[in-house]
Amino acid sequence: MITTPRQTSIPGIAGRRLHDDPRVTRARAYLLEAVADASASLTGPRGPIGEGHEQSYTKTLARFSEQRGGNLFYPFLGSGLGRGPLVELDDGSVKYDMITGIGVHFFGHSHPELVRCAIDAALSDTIMAGNLQQNSDSAALVDEILELANSRGFASPRFAHCFLTSSGAMANENAFKLAFQRHHPADRVLAFEKCFCGRTMVLSQITDKPAYRVGLPPTIAVDYVPGFDSADPEGSGKRAHDALLSHLSRYPGRHAAMKFELVVGEGGFYPGTTEFFRPLMETLNQQNVAVVVDEVQTFGRTPAPFAFQHFGLGNLVDIVSIGKLSQICATLFTGTYKPKPGLLSQTFTGSATAIAAARWVMSQLAGGSLHGPDGRIQRVHNRFVKHFRAIATEHPERLSGPFGLGGMIACTPFGGEPNKVRRLLTRLFDLGVIAFMAGAEPTRLRFLPPVPVVADKDIDAVCGILRLALDDIAQESE
């Protein structure tokens, strides 16, 4: 037991002194050492530990699935421990996590710096920051996000505001609220075909997937524009622009915003191009329609911190939403879209732990080693693609491209036949790799790997397991 005398006479802000207290310093070091020792045993994929424990785990999964009203996609309940790209389940098994909670765990599992952030944040008085009470970390985080957003391609800062929120869906909701208030009485939005926007009552109407809104009443009018086709760049650009002009002409003054995914995410990891997006955005600027870029999934994963920076489109963008790897989600917007009082407000912005983690994440994104043509993101992408192309050359019937962009990596197994892709995912999981699907017609296999912590040998091991899983599914069909 630590018995260092209490220090009560040091001048200054007590909350800041606390983190430098020798007792806290020692306790932090002990905790980090304990986490490192525990995670050291996670050296690669392995199966469940003990039949009795596995049965208990299965029962817990079944009960939890029933209580939440639907089955989990995978039989996954984590133990709370991992090591970089490896994560331990509560049945003792260990998997390579190549989907990272659909993009949340960008720095993998049990990262020492994120654990350090969590320890320090656990000492904060305000466990959940929100409308009436936020710690100084929130102000610092907003500064850091805006600095990163304004760091490339602007003579002067474009984004003046950043509103923190607790989910990517709320970041998108707030983006549309800003656009509708600014362009009142406009009552329609534009979006690309196959887009994903979220699952709230409004966002499920914008998401181009009818299954997500079965039984829900209509809430908002949406007009769809065809997306980029890499097989016909010029033709798809003309079709998209013609469709946009047709919608604007049919409903003059009625559109408040158009939502852009610069890399189609849930729809299959299809990147667009600057030449495709720029004419659309220029027309929207001319027609006084907000350009909203949804970066909930792309943020931090392209060869630039923001996808709009990668495509050189920042001067045309009005509102941006970010999330997933940022830990705290946010809506960035120009001064033109500053809201009237009362429009944006939330009881919960996010936990002190998430805000502290977000600040560390921003420092890493701003550091320079991840992005650029030779950054770690591009090198990880290239290594996966090298493996995919080798498999496709040997077995073109088993796997093909496209392969996404940056840290958003996708391939098409077995021509994109949905049932085979699902069986492949199950087999990968059994062999020790967690992946996911995206898109329809074709259905794709997608990876969102923990780029900063996945080593080349891990990528090689994952792709070796992918080969085994492809072999197994191919043999099933023979």
Short mmCIF file of all heavy atoms in Angstrom, two decimals, residues 90-149:
data_model
loop_
_atom_site.label_atom_id
_atom_site.label_comp_id
_atom_site.label_asym_id
_atom_site.label_seq_id
_atom_site.Cartn_x
_atom_site.Cartn_y
_atom_site.Cartn_z
N ASP A 90 -13.06 -13.71 -24.67
CA ASP A 90 -13.24 -14.17 -23.31
C ASP A 90 -13.32 -15.69 -23.20
O ASP A 90 -13.50 -16.23 -22.11
CB ASP A 90 -14.50 -13.54 -22.68
CG ASP A 90 -14.40 -13.46 -21.17
OD1 ASP A 90 -13.30 -13.16 -20.67
OD2 ASP A 90 -15.43 -13.70 -20.49
N ASP A 91 -13.21 -16.40 -24.32
CA ASP A 91 -13.06 -17.86 -24.27
C ASP A 91 -11.59 -18.26 -24.34
O ASP A 91 -11.26 -19.44 -24.43
CB ASP A 91 -13.85 -18.54 -25.38
CG ASP A 91 -13.35 -18.16 -26.77
OD1 ASP A 91 -12.44 -17.31 -26.88
OD2 ASP A 91 -13.88 -18.72 -27.76
N GLY A 92 -10.70 -17.25 -24.33
CA GLY A 92 -9.27 -17.51 -24.38
C GLY A 92 -8.68 -17.54 -25.77
O GLY A 92 -7.45 -17.58 -25.93
N SER A 93 -9.51 -17.51 -26.80
CA SER A 93 -8.99 -17.51 -28.16
C SER A 93 -8.41 -16.14 -28.50
O SER A 93 -8.73 -15.13 -27.86
CB SER A 93 -10.09 -17.89 -29.16
OG SER A 93 -11.12 -16.93 -29.16
N VAL A 94 -7.53 -16.12 -29.49
CA VAL A 94 -6.88 -14.88 -29.94
C VAL A 94 -7.03 -14.79 -31.45
O VAL A 94 -6.84 -15.78 -32.17
CB VAL A 94 -5.39 -14.86 -29.54
CG1 VAL A 94 -4.71 -13.61 -30.08
CG2 VAL A 94 -5.24 -14.92 -28.02
N LYS A 95 -7.36 -13.58 -31.93
CA LYS A 95 -7.58 -13.36 -33.36
C LYS A 95 -6.74 -12.17 -33.84
O LYS A 95 -6.46 -11.24 -33.08
CB LYS A 95 -9.05 -13.03 -33.64
CG LYS A 95 -10.08 -13.92 -32.96
CD LYS A 95 -10.20 -15.28 -33.60
CE LYS A 95 -11.35 -16.08 -32.98
NZ LYS A 95 -11.42 -17.45 -33.52
N TYR A 96 -6.39 -12.20 -35.12
CA TYR A 96 -5.90 -11.00 -35.80
C TYR A 96 -7.13 -10.12 -36.10
O TYR A 96 -8.04 -10.54 -36.82
CB TYR A 96 -5.21 -11.34 -37.12
CG TYR A 96 -3.76 -11.69 -36.99
CD1 TYR A 96 -3.31 -12.97 -37.34
CD2 TYR A 96 -2.83 -10.75 -36.57
CE1 TYR A 96 -1.96 -13.30 -37.24
CE2 TYR A 96 -1.48 -11.07 -36.47
CZ TYR A 96 -1.06 -12.34 -36.80
OH TYR A 96 0.28 -12.66 -36.70
N ASP A 97 -7.13 -8.91 -35.59
CA ASP A 97 -8.27 -8.01 -35.79
C ASP A 97 -8.00 -7.12 -37.00
O ASP A 97 -7.28 -6.12 -36.90
CB ASP A 97 -8.51 -7.16 -34.55
CG ASP A 97 -9.76 -6.30 -34.66
OD1 ASP A 97 -10.47 -6.42 -35.68
OD2 ASP A 97 -10.03 -5.53 -33.73
N MET A 98 -8.59 -7.48 -38.14
CA MET A 98 -8.39 -6.72 -39.37
C MET A 98 -9.61 -5.87 -39.73
O MET A 98 -9.67 -5.32 -40.83
CB MET A 98 -8.07 -7.67 -40.52
CG MET A 98 -6.72 -8.35 -40.40
SD MET A 98 -5.32 -7.19 -40.47
CE MET A 98 -4.72 -7.29 -38.78
N ILE A 99 -10.56 -5.75 -38.81
CA ILE A 99 -11.71 -4.85 -39.05
C ILE A 99 -11.82 -3.80 -37.95
O ILE A 99 -12.48 -2.79 -38.11
CB ILE A 99 -13.03 -5.64 -39.22
CG1 ILE A 99 -14.13 -4.78 -39.81
CG2 ILE A 99 -13.45 -6.28 -37.91
CD1 ILE A 99 -13.82 -4.22 -41.19
N THR A 100 -11.16 -4.05 -36.82
CA THR A 100 -10.99 -3.07 -35.74
C THR A 100 -12.29 -2.38 -35.32
O THR A 100 -12.35 -1.15 -35.22
CB THR A 100 -9.93 -2.02 -36.13
OG1 THR A 100 -10.30 -1.36 -37.35
CG2 THR A 100 -8.56 -2.67 -36.30
N GLY A 101 -13.31 -3.19 -35.05
CA GLY A 101 -14.59 -2.59 -34.64
C GLY A 101 -15.19 -1.73 -35.72
O GLY A 101 -15.82 -0.71 -35.45
N ILE A 102 -15.02 -2.13 -36.98
CA ILE A 102 -15.36 -1.34 -38.17
C ILE A 102 -14.67 0.02 -38.10
O ILE A 102 -15.26 1.08 -38.28
CB ILE A 102 -16.88 -1.20 -38.39
CG1 ILE A 102 -17.58 -2.53 -38.19
CG2 ILE A 102 -17.16 -0.68 -39.82
CD1 ILE A 102 -19.04 -2.54 -38.56
N GLY A 103 -13.36 -0.05 -37.81
CA GLY A 103 -12.52 1.13 -37.96
C GLY A 103 -12.21 1.90 -36.70
O GLY A 103 -11.52 2.92 -36.77
N VAL A 104 -12.67 1.45 -35.55
CA VAL A 104 -12.49 2.24 -34.33
C VAL A 104 -11.09 2.07 -33.75
O VAL A 104 -10.46 3.04 -33.32
CB VAL A 104 -13.55 1.85 -33.28
CG1 VAL A 104 -13.33 2.61 -31.98
CG2 VAL A 104 -14.95 2.10 -33.82
N HIS A 105 -10.58 0.82 -33.73
CA HIS A 105 -9.32 0.53 -33.05
C HIS A 105 -8.15 0.68 -34.02
O HIS A 105 -7.41 -0.29 -34.28
CB HIS A 105 -9.37 -0.87 -32.45
CG HIS A 105 -10.58 -1.14 -31.62
ND1 HIS A 105 -10.85 -0.45 -30.47
CD2 HIS A 105 -11.62 -2.00 -31.79
CE1 HIS A 105 -11.98 -0.89 -29.95
NE2 HIS A 105 -12.48 -1.81 -30.75
N PHE A 106 -7.96 1.87 -34.54
CA PHE A 106 -6.93 2.12 -35.54
C PHE A 106 -5.55 1.82 -34.99
O PHE A 106 -4.64 1.42 -35.73
CB PHE A 106 -7.02 3.57 -36.00
CG PHE A 106 -6.10 3.96 -37.11
CD1 PHE A 106 -6.21 3.39 -38.36
CD2 PHE A 106 -5.12 4.93 -36.92
CE1 PHE A 106 -5.37 3.76 -39.41
CE2 PHE A 106 -4.28 5.32 -37.95
CZ PHE A 106 -4.40 4.73 -39.20
N PHE A 107 -5.35 2.05 -33.68
CA PHE A 107 -4.06 1.79 -33.05
C PHE A 107 -4.04 0.43 -32.33
O PHE A 107 -3.22 0.20 -31.45
CB PHE A 107 -3.71 2.92 -32.09
CG PHE A 107 -3.35 4.20 -32.80
CD1 PHE A 107 -4.34 5.10 -33.16
CD2 PHE A 107 -2.06 4.48 -33.16
CE1 PHE A 107 -4.04 6.28 -33.84
CE2 PHE A 107 -1.73 5.65 -33.84
CZ PHE A 107 -2.72 6.55 -34.18
N GLY A 108 -4.93 -0.45 -32.74
CA GLY A 108 -4.93 -1.80 -32.22
C GLY A 108 -5.47 -1.88 -30.81
O GLY A 108 -6.23 -1.03 -30.35
N HIS A 109 -5.02 -2.92 -30.11
CA HIS A 109 -5.56 -3.24 -28.79
C HIS A 109 -4.48 -3.11 -27.72
O HIS A 109 -3.33 -3.48 -27.92
CB HIS A 109 -6.13 -4.65 -28.79
CG HIS A 109 -7.28 -4.81 -29.75
ND1 HIS A 109 -8.58 -4.52 -29.40
CD2 HIS A 109 -7.31 -5.17 -31.05
CE1 HIS A 109 -9.38 -4.73 -30.44
NE2 HIS A 109 -8.63 -5.12 -31.46
N SER A 110 -4.89 -2.55 -26.57
CA SER A 110 -4.01 -2.37 -25.41
C SER A 110 -2.75 -1.58 -25.77
O SER A 110 -1.65 -1.86 -25.25
CB SER A 110 -3.64 -3.73 -24.79
OG SER A 110 -4.79 -4.40 -24.33
N HIS A 111 -2.89 -0.58 -26.62
CA HIS A 111 -1.75 0.28 -26.96
C HIS A 111 -1.31 1.02 -25.70
O HIS A 111 -2.14 1.65 -25.02
CB HIS A 111 -2.15 1.28 -28.05
CG HIS A 111 -0.98 1.99 -28.66
ND1 HIS A 111 -0.21 2.90 -27.98
CD2 HIS A 111 -0.44 1.91 -29.92
CE1 HIS A 111 0.73 3.36 -28.77
NE2 HIS A 111 0.63 2.77 -29.94
N PRO A 112 -0.03 0.98 -25.34
CA PRO A 112 0.39 1.58 -24.07
C PRO A 112 0.07 3.06 -23.93
O PRO A 112 -0.27 3.52 -22.83
CB PRO A 112 1.91 1.31 -24.03
CG PRO A 112 2.29 0.95 -25.43
CD PRO A 112 1.09 0.32 -26.04
N GLU A 113 0.16 3.80 -25.02
CA GLU A 113 -0.13 5.24 -24.91
C GLU A 113 -1.63 5.49 -24.71
O GLU A 113 -2.03 6.42 -24.00
CB GLU A 113 0.38 5.98 -26.14
CG GLU A 113 1.88 6.06 -26.22
CD GLU A 113 2.50 6.73 -24.99
OE1 GLU A 113 1.91 7.71 -24.49
OE2 GLU A 113 3.54 6.25 -24.53
N LEU A 114 -2.46 4.68 -25.33
CA LEU A 114 -3.90 4.83 -25.12
C LEU A 114 -4.31 4.35 -23.73
O LEU A 114 -5.21 4.92 -23.11
CB LEU A 114 -4.67 4.09 -26.21
CG LEU A 114 -4.59 4.74 -27.59
CD1 LEU A 114 -5.24 3.85 -28.64
CD2 LEU A 114 -5.23 6.12 -27.59
N VAL A 115 -3.64 3.31 -23.24
CA VAL A 115 -3.89 2.89 -21.86
C VAL A 115 -3.47 3.99 -20.90
O VAL A 115 -4.18 4.30 -19.93
CB VAL A 115 -3.13 1.58 -21.54
CG1 VAL A 115 -3.26 1.23 -20.06
CG2 VAL A 115 -3.67 0.43 -22.39
N ARG A 116 -2.34 4.64 -21.18
CA ARG A 116 -1.89 5.75 -20.35
C ARG A 116 -2.93 6.89 -20.34
O ARG A 116 -3.25 7.45 -19.29
CB ARG A 116 -0.55 6.28 -20.87
CG ARG A 116 0.07 7.39 -20.01
CD ARG A 116 1.25 8.02 -20.74
NE ARG A 116 2.25 7.04 -21.10
CZ ARG A 116 3.24 6.65 -20.29
NH1 ARG A 116 3.32 7.15 -19.07
NH2 ARG A 116 4.11 5.76 -20.70
N CYS A 117 -3.46 7.19 -21.52
CA CYS A 117 -4.50 8.22 -21.60
C CYS A 117 -5.72 7.84 -20.76
O CYS A 117 -6.29 8.68 -20.06
CB CYS A 117 -4.95 8.40 -23.06
SG CYS A 117 -3.75 9.20 -24.13
N ALA A 118 -6.10 6.57 -20.82
CA ALA A 118 -7.27 6.11 -20.07
C ALA A 118 -7.04 6.19 -18.57
O ALA A 118 -7.95 6.56 -17.81
CB ALA A 118 -7.62 4.68 -20.48
N ILE A 119 -5.83 5.85 -18.14
CA ILE A 119 -5.52 5.94 -16.71
C ILE A 119 -5.64 7.37 -16.22
O ILE A 119 -6.28 7.66 -15.20
CB ILE A 119 -4.11 5.39 -16.45
CG1 ILE A 119 -4.06 3.89 -16.71
CG2 ILE A 119 -3.66 5.70 -15.01
CD1 ILE A 119 -2.65 3.32 -16.74
N ASP A 120 -5.02 8.30 -16.96
CA ASP A 120 -5.07 9.70 -16.55
C ASP A 120 -6.50 10.25 -16.60
O ASP A 120 -6.93 11.00 -15.73
CB ASP A 120 -4.16 10.54 -17.44
CG ASP A 120 -2.69 10.28 -17.16
OD1 ASP A 120 -2.38 9.69 -16.10
OD2 ASP A 120 -1.85 10.64 -18.01
N ALA A 121 -7.24 9.86 -17.64
CA ALA A 121 -8.61 10.35 -17.78
C ALA A 121 -9.51 9.81 -16.68
O ALA A 121 -10.48 10.46 -16.27
CB ALA A 121 -9.18 9.98 -19.15
N ALA A 122 -9.19 8.61 -16.18
CA ALA A 122 -10.00 8.03 -15.12
C ALA A 122 -9.94 8.85 -13.84
O ALA A 122 -10.80 8.73 -12.96
CB ALA A 122 -9.55 6.60 -14.84
N LEU A 123 -8.93 9.70 -13.72
CA LEU A 123 -8.81 10.57 -12.56
C LEU A 123 -9.61 11.85 -12.72
O LEU A 123 -9.71 12.64 -11.77
CB LEU A 123 -7.33 10.92 -12.32
CG LEU A 123 -6.39 9.73 -12.11
CD1 LEU A 123 -4.95 10.22 -11.99
CD2 LEU A 123 -6.79 8.93 -10.89
N SER A 124 -10.17 12.08 -13.91
CA SER A 124 -10.90 13.33 -14.17
C SER A 124 -12.25 13.31 -13.46
O SER A 124 -12.94 12.29 -13.42
CB SER A 124 -11.12 13.51 -15.67
OG SER A 124 -9.89 13.64 -16.34
N ASP A 125 -12.63 14.46 -12.95
CA ASP A 125 -13.89 14.57 -12.22
C ASP A 125 -15.09 14.36 -13.13
O ASP A 125 -16.05 13.69 -12.77
CB ASP A 125 -13.97 15.95 -11.55
CG ASP A 125 -15.32 16.18 -10.89
OD1 ASP A 125 -15.68 15.40 -10.00
OD2 ASP A 125 -16.01 17.13 -11.27
N THR A 126 -15.06 14.95 -14.31
CA THR A 126 -16.19 14.84 -15.23
C THR A 126 -16.02 13.59 -16.07
O THR A 126 -15.28 13.58 -17.05
CB THR A 126 -16.28 16.09 -16.14
OG1 THR A 126 -16.32 17.25 -15.32
CG2 THR A 126 -17.51 16.03 -17.01
N ILE A 127 -16.71 12.52 -15.68
CA ILE A 127 -16.56 11.25 -16.39
C ILE A 127 -17.14 11.38 -17.79
O ILE A 127 -16.59 10.88 -18.76
CB ILE A 127 -17.27 10.12 -15.62
CG1 ILE A 127 -16.66 10.00 -14.22
CG2 ILE A 127 -17.15 8.80 -16.37
CD1 ILE A 127 -15.19 9.74 -14.18
N MET A 128 -18.27 12.06 -17.92
CA MET A 128 -18.89 12.26 -19.23
C MET A 128 -19.02 13.75 -19.49
O MET A 128 -19.75 14.45 -18.81
CB MET A 128 -20.28 11.59 -19.28
CG MET A 128 -20.96 11.69 -20.63
SD MET A 128 -20.11 10.79 -21.96
CE MET A 128 -20.46 9.11 -21.53
N ALA A 129 -18.24 14.24 -20.45
CA ALA A 129 -18.32 15.65 -20.80
C ALA A 129 -19.56 15.92 -21.63
O ALA A 129 -20.01 15.05 -22.39
CB ALA A 129 -17.07 16.05 -21.58
N GLY A 130 -20.14 17.10 -21.49
CA GLY A 130 -21.35 17.39 -22.23
C GLY A 130 -21.69 18.86 -22.28
O GLY A 130 -20.81 19.72 -22.16
N ASN A 131 -22.96 19.15 -22.43
CA ASN A 131 -23.42 20.49 -22.72
C ASN A 131 -23.00 21.52 -21.67
O ASN A 131 -22.51 22.59 -22.00
CB ASN A 131 -24.95 20.47 -22.87
CG ASN A 131 -25.51 21.83 -23.23
OD1 ASN A 131 -24.87 22.59 -23.96
ND2 ASN A 131 -26.69 22.14 -22.74
N LEU A 132 -23.17 21.20 -20.40
CA LEU A 132 -22.92 22.19 -19.35
C LEU A 132 -21.51 22.10 -18.78
O LEU A 132 -21.01 23.10 -18.25
CB LEU A 132 -23.94 22.03 -18.21
CG LEU A 132 -25.39 22.34 -18.56
CD1 LEU A 132 -26.27 22.21 -17.32
CD2 LEU A 132 -25.52 23.74 -19.14
N GLN A 133 -20.89 20.93 -18.85
CA GLN A 133 -19.58 20.77 -18.23
C GLN A 133 -18.64 20.00 -19.15
O GLN A 133 -18.90 18.84 -19.48
CB GLN A 133 -19.70 20.02 -16.90
CG GLN A 133 -20.50 20.79 -15.85
CD GLN A 133 -20.56 20.05 -14.53
OE1 GLN A 133 -20.37 18.84 -14.48
NE2 GLN A 133 -20.83 20.77 -13.46
N GLN A 134 -17.56 20.65 -19.55
CA GLN A 134 -16.50 19.98 -20.29
C GLN A 134 -15.17 20.41 -19.70
O GLN A 134 -15.01 21.55 -19.25
CB GLN A 134 -16.56 20.31 -21.79
CG GLN A 134 -17.87 19.88 -22.44
CD GLN A 134 -17.76 19.67 -23.93
OE1 GLN A 134 -16.81 19.08 -24.41
NE2 GLN A 134 -18.75 20.13 -24.66
N ASN A 135 -14.21 19.50 -19.71
CA ASN A 135 -12.88 19.83 -19.21
C ASN A 135 -12.07 20.55 -20.28
O ASN A 135 -12.46 20.60 -21.46
CB ASN A 135 -12.16 18.57 -18.75
CG ASN A 135 -12.82 17.94 -17.52
OD1 ASN A 135 -13.54 18.61 -16.79
ND2 ASN A 135 -12.56 16.66 -17.31
N SER A 136 -10.94 21.07 -19.89
CA SER A 136 -10.10 21.82 -20.83
C SER A 136 -9.62 20.95 -21.98
O SER A 136 -9.26 21.46 -23.05
CB SER A 136 -8.91 22.43 -20.10
OG SER A 136 -8.13 21.44 -19.46
N ASP A 137 -9.61 19.62 -21.78
CA ASP A 137 -9.21 18.73 -22.87
C ASP A 137 -10.11 18.90 -24.10
O ASP A 137 -9.65 18.74 -25.23
CB ASP A 137 -9.29 17.26 -22.41
CG ASP A 137 -8.01 16.80 -21.75
OD1 ASP A 137 -7.03 17.57 -21.77
OD2 ASP A 137 -7.98 15.68 -21.21
N SER A 138 -11.39 19.20 -23.88
CA SER A 138 -12.31 19.37 -25.01
C SER A 138 -11.89 20.56 -25.86
O SER A 138 -11.90 20.50 -27.10
CB SER A 138 -13.75 19.55 -24.51
OG SER A 138 -14.22 18.39 -23.87
N ALA A 139 -11.54 21.67 -25.21
CA ALA A 139 -11.11 22.86 -25.94
C ALA A 139 -9.82 22.59 -26.71
O ALA A 139 -9.66 23.01 -27.87
CB ALA A 139 -10.93 24.03 -24.98
N ALA A 140 -8.90 21.88 -26.06
CA ALA A 140 -7.64 21.56 -26.73
C ALA A 140 -7.88 20.64 -27.93
O ALA A 140 -7.26 20.81 -28.99
CB ALA A 140 -6.68 20.90 -25.74
N LEU A 141 -8.78 19.68 -27.77
CA LEU A 141 -9.08 18.75 -28.87
C LEU A 141 -9.66 19.47 -30.07
O LEU A 141 -9.28 19.21 -31.22
CB LEU A 141 -10.03 17.66 -28.38
CG LEU A 141 -10.51 16.66 -29.44
CD1 LEU A 141 -9.34 15.92 -30.08
CD2 LEU A 141 -11.49 15.65 -28.82
N VAL A 142 -10.57 20.39 -29.83
CA VAL A 142 -11.16 21.16 -30.94
C VAL A 142 -10.07 21.94 -31.68
O VAL A 142 -10.04 21.97 -32.92
CB VAL A 142 -12.26 22.09 -30.42
CG1 VAL A 142 -12.63 23.15 -31.46
CG2 VAL A 142 -13.50 21.28 -30.05
N ASP A 143 -9.16 22.56 -30.93
CA ASP A 143 -8.04 23.27 -31.56
C ASP A 143 -7.25 22.33 -32.47
O ASP A 143 -6.89 22.67 -33.60
CB ASP A 143 -7.10 23.83 -30.50
CG ASP A 143 -7.59 25.13 -29.88
OD1 ASP A 143 -8.46 25.79 -30.49
OD2 ASP A 143 -7.12 25.47 -28.78
N GLU A 144 -6.98 21.13 -31.97
CA GLU A 144 -6.14 20.18 -32.71
C GLU A 144 -6.83 19.65 -33.96
O GLU A 144 -6.20 19.48 -35.01
CB GLU A 144 -5.74 19.04 -31.77
CG GLU A 144 -4.77 19.50 -30.68
CD GLU A 144 -4.80 18.67 -29.41
OE1 GLU A 144 -5.55 17.67 -29.36
OE2 GLU A 144 -4.08 19.03 -28.46
N ILE A 145 -8.13 19.39 -33.87
CA ILE A 145 -8.87 18.93 -35.05
C ILE A 145 -8.90 20.01 -36.12
O ILE A 145 -8.65 19.75 -37.30
CB ILE A 145 -10.30 18.50 -34.66
CG1 ILE A 145 -10.27 17.28 -33.75
CG2 ILE A 145 -11.12 18.19 -35.92
CD1 ILE A 145 -11.63 16.91 -33.18
N LEU A 146 -9.21 21.24 -35.72
CA LEU A 146 -9.28 22.33 -36.69
C LEU A 146 -7.92 22.61 -37.31
O LEU A 146 -7.81 22.89 -38.51
CB LEU A 146 -9.83 23.59 -36.03
CG LEU A 146 -11.33 23.57 -35.71
CD1 LEU A 146 -11.73 24.81 -34.90
CD2 LEU A 146 -12.16 23.49 -36.99
N GLU A 147 -6.87 22.53 -36.51
CA GLU A 147 -5.53 22.75 -37.05
C GLU A 147 -5.19 21.70 -38.10
O GLU A 147 -4.63 22.02 -39.16
CB GLU A 147 -4.50 22.72 -35.92
CG GLU A 147 -3.08 23.00 -36.39
CD GLU A 147 -2.07 23.06 -35.25
OE1 GLU A 147 -2.48 22.93 -34.07
OE2 GLU A 147 -0.87 23.22 -35.54
N LEU A 148 -5.55 20.45 -37.83
CA LEU A 148 -5.29 19.38 -38.79
C LEU A 148 -6.11 19.58 -40.06
O LEU A 148 -5.61 19.39 -41.18
CB LEU A 148 -5.60 18.03 -38.16
CG LEU A 148 -5.16 16.78 -38.91
CD1 LEU A 148 -3.64 16.71 -39.03
CD2 LEU A 148 -5.69 15.53 -38.21
N ALA A 149 -7.37 19.98 -39.92
CA ALA A 149 -8.24 20.18 -41.08
C ALA A 149 -7.79 21.34 -41.94
O ALA A 149 -7.94 21.32 -43.17
CB ALA A 149 -9.68 20.40 -40.63
#
